[in-house]
Amino acid sequence: MRPSPLVVVANRLPIDDSVAPDGAFEWRRSPGGLVSALHPLLRHTPATWVGWAGGTGPAPHLPDVDGVRMRAVPLSADDFRDHYEGFANATLWPLYHDAVEQPEYHRRWWEAYQRVNQRFAEAAAEVAEPGGLVWVQDYHLQLVPGLLRDLRPDLRIGFFLHVPFPPPELFMQLPRRAELLRGMLGADLIGFQRAQAAHNFAQLATKVLGLPATDRRIGVGDRVVRIGAFPVSIDTAEMAALAARPDVADRARRLRQDLGDPERVILSVDRMDYTKGIEQRLKAYHELLTSGDVKVRDTVLVQVVVPSRDRVAQYQILRDRVEHQVGRINGEFGRVGEPAIHYLSQPFDRTELVALYRVADVMAVTPLRDGMNLVAKEYVAARVDGAGALLLSEFAGAAAELAQAYLVNPHDLDGLKAALLAALRAAPEDVAARMRAMREHLGRNDIHAWAGSYLRALEETTARATRRAPGG
């Protein structure tokens, strides 16, 4: 594989494998926040994406996808269990999301995390051209920047964390906290979703490593690492164009008819994850039905839950609890042909999802903690009609930008109920004014603005470093 001027390093490749009717394998874009964020940029940039293809065993040789070269990194079954399901998603993920579930710590998981990060760093070093740019993504690969700097000190290295970064009192629980911080500090620029995360990181660099730090810069030997907030976004124009298509508008009308033409439709779209606040949302809806503030015939809740991490025990338990809740609510309040909740546990075609966005009078996005939440931004971008109310958790990164949403603390059940009723009962002119302001913001701050601001900051950081270097 020839060297590439831009290398993206992420846990997963932006493709899923599926078997075609003729028995051949097809490779295609996969859904997900990271792919949604990066894919529009890479269609127009010569790039290589380094990541895991999704299966265990030897790495497959893959064709280009939309002009992006694919470099697969192999994972064994043990790697998948201990690195991905273990340290990444049973240690780091819960800790970074305010320990909503108790993190687990096992030494073999840490060993696998080191091993896999080394493999990713070596793959990136192989495909990056001299002086090239490598952009490492997310919590699965926090050691890669430091490992890559050891292998290829000529490279410009960026790191972006798509999930929240926890406050010092939580991060300090990690047995390998110093190694993780040093790994991230191998980058020239570390990007976070929110300024508070950068502040947390700077505090830890001083507390754990004794480094001089501000909320913008950290001194690491003779280097200066820049840190900052770069809120990720979506391809707003592409989403709006899809939502405006006549076939999508027709599908939205048919969906509303299929739902019984209710006065109001509430929609939630989540991965099956304990950080998403699904149980709290269902409990609030159940109490509104019990009190009579919401009636099944007038209001319909559509809950889409995309399966996630099915082999992780915590997620299996959550799925069982959610499905029990849905069954109980439908058994108590549903009628023949009129369920209280339309529950869909499946991945959704993008066109179908956008049609659902257009149907929803209220979009309920109420995670207990979220780095950004691109579903909230997709909903706003899809409302080309200027209608629709967004109910949004204060603890989603998107809340800092979409201040005109109906903001809510999802831990406060009474507050959640009140905010949902406010969104359902809001005057059309108030809903339209809020949506207009949010759409204007997204128009100015789309995926291209996000990537541009991050990559410009990285160029400036590395240019200053070059000028400071002896002989530079």
Side-chain angles (χ1 to χ4, degrees):
M1 181 176 287
R2 66 189 184 276
S4 180
L6 171 61
V7 178
V8 171
V9 187
N11 178 63
R12 284 297 303 268
L13 291 170
I15 48 181
D16 277 334
D17 61 324
S18 59
V19 181
D22 62 0
F25 279 93
E26 296 177 343
W27 295 89
R28 61 189 181 189
R29 276 185 65 190
S30 62
L34 176 60
V35 176
S36 298
L38 292 178
H39 191 271
L41 308 171
L42 301 182
R43 287 179 301 185
H44 309 295
T45 304
T48 298
W49 190 305
V50 174
W52 173 52
T56 56
H61 177 73
L62 305 175
D64 294 358
V65 176
D66 290 347
V68 180
R69 294 193 294 276
M70 298 291 147
R71 170 63 153 83
V73 176
L75 291 188
S76 68
D78 288 347
D79 293 333
F80 177 75
R81 182 191 65 229
D82 294 339
H83 164 262
Y84 179 75
E85 294 182 330
F87 195 81
N89 287 313
T91 300
L92 294 180
W93 178 268
L95 188 78
Y96 284 16
H97 289 83
D98 293 351
V100 174
E101 291 283 337
Q102 183 63 35
E104 297 181 40
Y105 307 104
H106 299 286
R107 281 173 288 185
R108 75 173 188 278
W109 290 0
W110 168 249
E111 292 165 2
Y113 190 81
Q114 291 176 290
R115 181 173 68 245
V116 171
N117 273 247
Q118 181 70 40
R119 202 174 300 154
F120 273 78
E122 290 170 356
E126 289 174 9
V127 300
E129 70 175 18
L133 172 62
V134 179
W135 196 359
V136 184
Q137 309 290 326
D138 227 0
Y139 64 103
H140 314 84
L141 303 174
Q142 286 176 230
L143 301 179
V144 168
L147 295 168
L148 188 57
R149 183 163 295 280
D150 290 340
L151 292 168
R152 292 282 306 274
D154 62 298
L155 296 174
R156 296 167 294 158
I157 303 170
F159 180 82
F160 189 83
L161 189 68
H162 292 258
V163 299
F165 190 80
E169 56 268 25
L170 280 179
F171 190 86
M172 291 294 288
Q173 296 179 19
L174 277 171
R176 298 293 183 167
R177 58 202 185 193
E179 291 94 325
L180 284 168
L181 293 173
R182 289 193 192 99
M184 294 172 70
L185 286 165
D188 297 294
L189 173 64
I190 305 172
F192 300 92
Q193 300 279 20
R194 303 185 73 168
Q196 182 62 49
H199 175 72
N200 293 344
F201 186 83
Q203 284 188 304
L204 283 158
T206 298
K207 185 178 182 67
V208 176
L209 302 178
L211 298 175
T214 70
D215 289 359
R216 299 180 63 187
R217 293 176 178 83
I218 300 173
V220 184
D222 60 354
R223 295 193 303 122
V224 174
V225 178
R226 182 175 172 185
I227 62 175
F230 302 87
V232 73
S233 194
I234 63 169
D235 191 335
T236 308
E238 186 266 347
M239 175 60 69
L242 178 57
R245 277 176 18 191
D247 62 312
V248 173
D250 289 342
R251 180 58 182 151
R253 284 190 288 271
R254 291 198 304 274
L255 281 170
R256 196 169 195 103
Q257 291 170 359
D258 292 343
L259 292 170
D261 274 326
E263 292 180 17
R264 292 285 183 269
V265 175
I266 306 167
L267 173 65
S268 287
V269 178
D270 306 280
R271 281 190 310 104
M272 182 62 79
D273 194 288
Y274 48 77
T275 66
K276 300 301 182 182
I278 301 170
E279 292 178 281
Q280 290 82 354
R281 191 186 311 134
L282 290 175
K283 182 172 176 59
Y285 192 65
H286 179 243
E287 291 193 5
L288 289 173
L289 289 169
T290 301
S291 66
D293 288 300
V294 169
K295 295 180 171 58
V296 170
R297 187 160 294 174
D298 301 329
T299 304
V300 167
L301 171 61
V302 179
Q303 175 65 67
V304 176
V305 179
V306 180
S308 173
R309 300 168 190 160
D310 288 338
R311 297 192 351 165
V312 178
Q314 292 165 322
Y315 290 79
Q316 295 169 356
I317 294 167
L318 173 64
R319 183 191 62 215
D320 291 344
R321 288 202 307 254
V322 167
E323 291 179 355
H324 177 76
Q325 259 185 298
V326 170
R328 178 187 171 198
I329 294 169
N330 278 335
E332 188 174 348
F333 294 99
R335 300 180 179 88
V336 174
E338 289 183 346
I341 300 172
H342 292 259
Y343 177 75
L344 303 166
S345 179
Q346 56 194 259
F348 255 68
D349 173 81
R350 187 168 175 78
T351 303
E352 187 82 352
L353 186 59
V354 174
L356 276 172
Y357 288 156
R358 291 207 54 176
V359 169
D361 300 289
V362 175
M363 183 80 201
V365 182
T366 58
L368 305 178
R369 195 77 167 92
D370 222 335
M372 176 51 61
N373 198 293
L374 297 181
V375 166
K377 293 189 174 185
E378 288 181 349
Y379 177 70
V380 171
R383 293 315 301 239
V384 292
D385 57 354
L390 175 62
L391 179 69
L392 182 60
S393 167
E394 298 170 0
F395 305 112
E401 297 180 81
L402 304 179
Q404 296 81 16
Y406 293 84
L407 297 178
V408 63
N409 175 2
H411 300 273
D412 175 4
L413 196 62
D414 289 333
L416 181 54
K417 289 159 56 180
L420 182 54
L421 285 176
L424 286 168
R425 297 170 177 175
E429 56 271 22
D430 179 49
V431 169
R434 290 170 179 256
M435 183 57 71
R436 182 168 56 251
M438 290 188 290
R439 285 178 58 79
E440 288 173 357
H441 173 84
L442 277 189
R444 296 189 302 269
N445 297 276
D446 66 357
I447 183 66
H448 304 288
W450 167 70
S453 66
Y454 182 91
L455 293 174
R456 280 194 302 273
L458 181 56
E459 292 281 359
E460 292 168 4
T461 300
T462 53
R464 283 196 295 268
T466 300
R467 287 195 297 270
R468 283 196 303 270

